[in-house]
Amino acid sequence: RLQDPQLTPESACAELGISRSYLFKILAEGGHSFSGYVRGCRLDECRRLLIEQPRRPVSDIAADWGFTDVSSFNRAFRARFGHPPGRLRQ
């Protein structure tokens, strides 16, 4: 459900059958917050799709994964991978 813009810690816990405190404990052990972990996973999927679907617009891929603003997506992508998303297509 990573593409679901309504994904919350509560909905994830309900699907996983675990408590909120246990979810946050697991994430904290890996140095993550819930939103940071989800954002990272979404960025990883965007990166994969940018490579696999080189003709598809960056904005479409970003929007499919919950990034409604392309400039904020570009900043987040650069922060995670060290380069802008367009570099994958060069």
Side-chain angles (χ1 to χ4, degrees):
R1 292 202 26 222
L2 288 171
Q3 282 183 286
D4 182 359
Q6 304 303 317
L7 182 62
T8 63
E10 292 76 19
S11 63
C13 289
E15 286 192 28
L16 295 169
I18 60 175
S19 70
R20 182 180 163 97
S21 60
Y22 185 63
L23 173 66
F24 283 108
K25 178 183 175 189
I26 292 169
L27 292 170
E29 286 174 358
H32 303 286
S33 65
F34 179 80
S35 61
Y37 181 78
V38 169
R39 183 183 190 97
C41 290
R42 288 175 176 170
L43 286 166
D44 290 344
E45 285 301 311
C46 288
R47 182 179 184 279
R48 182 183 63 78
L49 291 172
L50 287 166
I51 293 168
E52 291 178 1
Q53 301 174 7
R55 298 191 128 154
R56 191 163 170 218
V58 171
S59 58
D60 288 355
I61 292 171
D64 282 353
W65 285 92
F67 297 95
T68 56
D69 179 50
V70 176
S71 61
S72 65
F73 168 72
N74 288 337
R75 281 191 302 276
F77 192 94
R78 183 186 297 269
R80 181 156 177 92
F81 300 111
H83 55 81
R87 182 175 291 171
L88 292 174
R89 297 185 164 175
Q90 295 175 349

